[in-house]
Amino acid sequence: MSELDGLLRDKVRLLGNVLGQAIAAQHGDSMLQRIEDIRQQAKIARQGDVAERDRLLALLKTMPDEALVPVVRGFNQFLNLANIADQQHTASWRRSDFLQDDADQLFDDLLDRLQQEGIDGLDLSQKVADVNIELVLTAHPTEVTRRTLIQKYDLIAQLLQQRDDLRDGHPRLEDIEKRIASLVEEIWQTDEIRQTRPTPVDEAKWGFAVVENSLWQAVPQLLRHLDNELRQRGSSALPLTAAPVRFSSWMGGDRDGNPNVTSKITREVLYLARWMAADLYLRDIEKLGMQLSMTAASAEMKQAYPVHEPYRACIHDLRDQLEKTRAWAAAKAKGKECDIQPIRHVDELLQPLMLCYNSLIDQGMDTVANGLLLDTLRRAACFDLSMVRLDVRQESTRHANVIQAICEFYGWGDYHSWSEEQKQQFLLKELQSQRPLIPTRWQPEADVQEVLDTMKVIASDVGEGVSCYIISMASEPSDILAVALLLQACDVRDHLPIVPLFETLDDLEQSSPRMEKLWSVDWYRNYCQGHQQVMIGYSDSSKDAGQLAAVWAQYRAQESLSNIAKEKNIRLRLFHGRGGTVGRGGGPAYGAILAQPPGSVENGLRVTEQGEVIRFKYGMPELALRNLKVYVTSVLEANLLPPESAKPQWRDAMEALATAGVRSYRAMVRDTEDFVRYFRAATPEQELGKLALGSRPARRKAGGGIETLRAIPWIFAWTQMRLMLPAWLGADDALEQHISNDQLDLLQEMYQQWPFFHTYIDMLEMVVSKADPALAQYYERRLVEDELQPLGSVLRERLEQMRKLVLQVKQQTSLLENSRLLEHSMSIRSPYTDPLHYLQAELLHRNRLAGDEGSQVEQALKVTMAGIAAGMRNTG
């Protein structure tokens, strides 16, 4: 571990030194010394000495206003640079020798175990090709860092990798380090806080950049790695167009609670995706045009292109078609008419590429065929014509309101007041009617028209880029049938997948009987053609019931849905709406997938990747390759070597834990009179709205209490003051009750033998290790009125009890005994995050007293939020 530590510390030291030079150049040596004094004192104070902490606070409280922004910016930027070093180091070949859980090793170990079980041979490649993973990139507002800075950070990561690749004393090392210093100076001179919110189109372009800069390279690398390892084990080659992993996006399609996502936005984003895809393919095609100068060709190739250089002729034709497609998409994205004929189907791209590939193989030029040409074929199979397909998401009442407006126009009655049975009868009758549903001379309200306009976009020439229609807050079969009726009325293509999203605790518990009722409807069975996606919500269920009750409800819903789908002969694919934090279903993918109910991923896996997690997991090709391989490995293992079903006594215990957990959680969050007041006083929840994080508002509707607050700011706020409450509240009482009833042995057995419970307890351990009661108490002392402070004492006592309970279940004496990398990572960051926390509490106090918009205090406050988010890494 020491050599590994040295390699990482060397990179952190380099970046810290050049940042110090940039600070001194602008603000003088005295400012740099002030920051260094605070850092050193924070490191000493971290040991727990109250007197040393008071010295740190004295340094911070006596700081003049003009020093606030430079100091907090210094700490913020160091944390960002430390993250870059950590990310790049994770992906570097220099590190792989030290890793126990390397992605390559995970896949190798799985192949060993499969061979031991007699599962190997020619069919294994097809099983890998069929794992059917779809990662859905979302623009949930947890990415604090500006895109301008992300691009500079990416360049630094690339330079650090180049530095790793050179031996000590290499003449290029000095140039690389000078370029790093220049980039850090550019970063220091750039405002890290967005002054305006990004638009949904901005967010979509950011998502496209992730594909362009990372995934475009990582996908063919992944398939090459998998192919090589399978062949070495005696399996056949992966099919040429195998696409075990594909990508979709919510950026520009997710309109639930976001009035900024309109039909015009969705239309523009769909065309921009087509433009970007054509542009990326053209870059490959240009290289292939230079590479494929050969003349020897198969008879089929010569017949199609009877010229001296047939491959180039074929590639040049494809280039012309792609250029036309790019021009068409650019014009349409701007709302212009365009009579150019674009490529309409991916086969128009794949067929000429396959013709070239087969001819090269026929002529013995395997090495050429299996180079860039194979990579391009595999990109086409994965990314299709849209690069990332777009999910459209809308809230269920918006569709019901459209049906209501149509019923009012025709005088059919009050749809909203009908029973569920009446609604279904009406919708099924209209679905089979031969007359148009939507009146021709009708001017509905704007909200109604917007829903219909969105569906018309899906029906347009670019609508093939839409992957599915998601209904949030779905609760009854009529919610799905209403969408089917409106899609049909707007001439959307047949069988577009309609995906209900079950989010709250009640909806999760009722999801199976409701889907069973829907799957019993002959019309709908014909519509879905025996395939169904169901989305499981993690965010709202956790906010509604607490994390413990939510994870069990999610587990049982998946289990029950899978069983009923098999009974009804439906191929069910579960879609997991996970966030970055534990409170929103986050955590390491490998453990999370293996913790799912046995058999629940046999038809594939769909999962959201949100906010800053996208950058941390897929921001560089090497990181993306590792994380994609982990997904493939874990889904393959879950299907071929599934864990045993949970023992009845484990299920009974989990049921009792969940019941106690939700009761305890709601007693605090819903029933404690002063809880909301304490939350708003002790955390920066109200001030978070000043950060231009994303295009979506923080609340579903203005005003209201916790119930109207989105799950992301709810968790973000508790993370900022380090109480981490959403991830553990309720679990403390539930586990304590079980242990006091002599159930500790059972809990320890569940942890050791049941992947679901093991993963849950590990996530609890991670989150309580990141919590800091002393920091939380300081926020309280500075921000919370005296009468509310006893509530804070109760919460901190419960957090401390949670720590002890986790250690008992895991049979450990300290947290993170088996997660030294995380412990090391947090220890590196603490001297930088601690001052930001203390400063944030002080700045919140000053800001609430003065309330000066645009002041140095407010600017510094925003930077502390960004810095703490960078230090904690999984903010929302």
Side-chain angles (χ1 to χ4, degrees), residues 11-225:
K11 295 169 187 176
V12 172
R13 192 180 303 113
L14 168 67
L15 296 176
N17 287 341
V18 294
L19 175 63
Q21 292 165 15
I23 293 170
Q26 183 177 0
H27 300 282
D29 291 337
S30 60
M31 181 62 72
L32 179 60
Q33 190 59 51
R34 182 190 293 274
I35 293 171
E36 181 58 20
D37 290 345
I38 293 170
R39 186 186 75 85
Q40 290 290 352
Q41 188 58 41
K43 202 170 180 180
I44 297 167
R46 199 9 85 168
Q47 307 306 312
D49 189 313
V50 175
E52 295 295 351
R53 193 195 70 168
D54 289 343
R55 290 190 184 94
L56 172 62
L57 293 175
L59 280 174
L60 298 174
K61 285 183 177 179
T62 57
M63 196 188 311
D65 280 2
E66 61 270 17
L68 284 173
V69 173
V71 167
V72 296
R73 289 192 69 222
F75 284 106
N76 174 37
Q77 286 303 345
F78 180 85
L79 286 164
N80 279 309
L81 293 171
N83 282 343
I84 295 167
D86 200 1
Q87 271 185 288
Q88 182 275 327
H89 195 63
T90 298
S92 175
W93 64 270
R94 298 274 303 264
R95 187 183 190 226
S96 60
D97 292 343
F98 303 98
L99 281 179
Q100 296 294 311
D101 59 348
D102 180 76
D104 291 335
Q105 191 63 49
L106 280 176
F107 190 68
D108 252 6
D109 289 346
L110 174 61
L111 294 182
D112 286 341
R113 283 182 285 142
L114 289 173
Q115 283 188 326
Q116 290 165 12
E117 294 290 328
I119 305 171
D120 58 5
L122 298 180
D123 65 335
L124 192 54
S125 292
Q126 191 59 51
K127 291 185 186 301
V128 170
D130 291 340
V131 294
N132 195 17
I133 297 163
E134 191 166 1
L135 303 179
V136 185
L137 310 179
T138 78
H140 283 58
T142 61
E143 177 53 87
V144 180
T145 310
R146 291 180 62 194
R147 211 167 95 200
T148 299
L149 292 175
I150 289 172
Q151 291 165 344
K152 296 180 189 298
Y153 295 149
D154 287 347
L155 286 171
I156 290 175
Q158 292 168 22
L159 290 164
L160 288 174
Q161 185 58 59
Q162 291 175 28
R163 188 172 175 267
D164 271 0
D165 293 342
L166 300 176
R167 68 180 186 276
D168 292 345
H170 193 285
R172 281 194 58 225
L173 280 175
E174 186 177 351
D175 289 341
I176 289 171
E177 292 182 0
K178 282 182 180 178
R179 180 69 183 121
I180 290 172
S182 175
L183 281 165
V184 170
E185 187 169 357
E186 291 173 28
I187 289 165
W188 182 252
Q189 297 292 343
T190 301
D191 189 352
E192 58 266 87
I193 302 298
R194 298 186 189 98
Q195 298 306 306
T196 56
R197 284 187 178 274
T199 68
V201 173
D202 292 333
E203 291 171 334
K205 288 178 178 177
W206 177 77
F208 297 164
V210 174
V211 176
E212 177 186 10
N213 298 329
S214 179
L215 296 174
W216 196 255
Q217 289 77 41
V219 164
Q221 286 178 26
L222 168 72
L223 292 161
R224 200 173 290 281
H225 280 222

Side-chain angles (χ1 to χ4, degrees), residues 399 451-459 469 483 486-487 490 492:
H399 313 118
V451 172
L452 297 174
D453 286 347
T454 296
M455 293 185 171
K456 288 172 184 173
V457 169
I458 303 173
Y469 197 106
V483 170
L486 295 175
L487 289 171
C490 293
V492 173

Side-chain angles (χ1 to χ4, degrees), residues 605-828:
L605 172 76
R606 212 166 188 258
V607 63
T608 52
E609 295 284 26
Q610 301 187 356
E612 83 286 355
V613 174
I614 295 172
R615 181 160 56 97
F616 291 143
K617 290 174 71 173
Y618 307 107
M620 296 189 298
E622 297 81 10
L623 280 173
L625 171 62
R626 294 167 66 88
N627 283 294
L628 295 176
K629 200 165 188 179
V630 166
Y631 266 115
V632 171
T633 303
S634 52
V635 172
L636 194 64
E637 179 173 348
N639 286 329
L640 299 182
L641 298 174
E644 293 183 15
S645 297
K647 295 178 181 178
Q649 60 266 38
W650 297 350
R651 299 180 68 88
D652 292 343
M654 198 62 215
E655 198 68 44
L657 286 167
T659 301
V662 70
R663 188 187 306 121
S664 170
Y665 176 87
R666 287 177 174 171
M668 175 59 72
V669 173
R670 292 186 181 183
D671 302 334
T672 300
E673 183 179 355
D674 292 328
F675 179 80
V676 173
R677 284 177 62 204
Y678 180 88
F679 167 61
R680 293 202 166 131
T683 76
E685 181 260 330
Q686 296 172 82
E687 289 79 8
L688 283 173
K690 296 176 181 178
L691 275 179
L693 287 182
S695 67
R696 194 168 72 171
R699 291 182 177 273
R700 291 187 186 271
K701 53 182 128 179
I706 299 298
E707 72 283 353
T708 68
L709 189 68
R710 285 194 171 275
I712 293 167
W714 161 247
I715 291 172
F716 198 116
W718 287 111
T719 303
Q720 289 277 306
M721 57 90 76
R722 294 289 283 276
L723 202 57
M724 320 295 281
L725 177 141
W728 59 263
L729 185 67
D732 56 323
D733 281 349
L735 289 170
E736 188 167 21
Q737 287 174 29
H738 252 62
I739 290 172
S740 64
N741 290 332
D742 295 324
Q743 298 291 303
L744 179 58
D745 288 347
L746 177 62
L747 294 175
Q748 290 172 344
E749 176 189 298
M750 289 162 65
Y751 176 74
Q752 291 160 8
Q753 298 180 32
W754 189 13
F756 164 76
F757 194 69
H758 185 100
T759 299
Y760 173 70
I761 294 296
D762 281 356
M763 292 303 98
L764 270 182
E765 179 189 32
M766 182 184 76
V767 83
V768 296
S769 73
K770 287 188 173 186
D772 193 314
L775 284 171
Q777 185 176 23
Y778 185 73
Y779 276 79
E780 179 183 287
R781 289 216 312 264
R782 289 302 289 151
L783 301 171
V784 178
E785 52 200 278
D786 292 346
E787 65 184 80
L788 297 179
Q789 292 193 12
L791 179 55
S793 298
V794 169
L795 294 174
R796 290 192 300 279
E797 287 168 9
R798 291 181 65 169
L799 171 61
E800 187 54 39
Q801 182 63 11
M802 185 77 259
R803 289 175 187 265
K804 294 175 183 175
L805 294 165
V806 167
L807 293 175
Q808 284 182 274
V809 174
K810 293 196 69 169
Q811 297 176 271
Q812 293 178 183
T813 56
S814 62
L815 295 174
L816 302 180
E817 279 182 14
N818 300 309
S819 304
R820 293 304 184 194
L821 284 173
L822 175 59
E823 183 184 46
H824 177 64
S825 177
M826 291 299 293
S827 69
I828 286 178

Side-chain angles (χ1 to χ4, degrees), residues 297-306 310 351 354-355 358-359 362:
S298 66
E300 186 183 10
M301 187 81 200
K302 288 178 179 176
Q303 184 179 0
Y305 294 93
Q351 285 172 2
M354 285 296 298
L355 180 64
N358 290 332
S359 176
D362 179 74

